[in-house]
Amino acid sequence: MENDTISLLKECNSGIKMGINSLTDVLDKVQASELREILKTAKKEHEKLGDESHAILLKYHEDGKEPHPVAKMMANVKTGMKLTMQESDATVADLITDGCDMGIKSLHRYLNQYPDAEESVVKLTGKLIESEEKLRKNLQCYL
């Protein structure tokens, strides 16, 4: 149970970091103030969930997990290329929506991979999925 708990928690922590990095990367490219506020709110939610995951990790005397360097590099390259070709709110919304989709898919995979994780970590994972789904929905009108 403890191994599944720590493993799921580390994956959540890594995904949260990836989400925060992605949101930070695009915020200065946004033109519409409403979209900027949506992204800032999502970033704050991710930071709060990151703090929550970090507190649980400390309880287990564990460190967080950094996003995989290749995944991080590929995300940065994709963001840079797309925004160089067309810097628009639609492009930002498209990039972040893709990130939400990948995050939701990964989190469900990890829930299945670590079925014996502690209930509090499963709930945290659920909150993260809900946050990603809400962000994705809020971005639809900018696509």
Side-chain angles (χ1 to χ4, degrees):
M1 181 174 189
E2 188 171 311
N3 286 340
D4 277 9
T5 298
I6 292 167
S7 296
L8 179 57
L9 194 53
K10 285 185 174 188
E11 295 299 346
C12 286
N13 186 259
S14 175
I16 291 167
K17 289 176 183 177
M18 188 80 162
I20 291 170
N21 289 339
S22 296
L23 291 165
T24 301
D25 288 346
V26 300
L27 267 170
D28 63 335
K29 308 292 186 201
V30 174
Q31 297 163 12
S33 60
E34 300 87 9
L35 177 56
R36 188 176 300 107
E37 286 307 310
I38 289 169
L39 297 177
K40 283 181 179 179
T41 299
K43 184 178 173 192
K44 286 178 188 172
E45 285 178 18
H46 277 66
E47 290 168 343
K48 181 180 173 193
L49 291 169
D51 291 345
E52 193 175 330
S53 71
H54 188 69
I56 299 171
L57 281 165
L58 288 176
K59 178 179 132 183
Y60 286 100
H61 308 288
E62 294 285 339
D63 293 324
K65 178 181 173 185
E66 291 300 316
H68 194 282
V70 173
K72 194 172 177 180
M73 181 194 69
M74 288 179 68
N76 287 338
V77 168
K78 179 180 178 181
T79 299
M81 285 179 51
K82 279 197 162 196
L83 287 172
T84 298
M85 292 180 351
Q86 184 177 5
E87 188 172 310
S88 69
D89 288 350
T91 303
V92 169
D94 183 57
L95 287 164
I96 297 300
T97 299
D98 284 351
C100 290
D101 289 341
M102 286 190 293
I104 292 165
K105 180 179 154 184
S106 295
L107 289 166
H108 281 288
R109 184 182 326 111
Y110 295 132
L111 282 171
N112 293 331
Q113 190 174 344
Y114 305 116
D116 294 328
E118 186 179 293
E119 186 62 29
S120 64
V121 177
V122 172
K123 285 182 181 180
L124 174 68
T125 306
K127 287 195 274 187
L128 184 53
I129 291 169
E130 287 175 17
S131 177
E132 294 289 312
E133 288 173 340
K134 181 174 121 184
L135 177 55
R136 182 177 62 185
K137 187 174 191 291
N138 288 339
L139 295 175
Q140 288 176 351
C141 64
Y142 293 95
L143 295 171

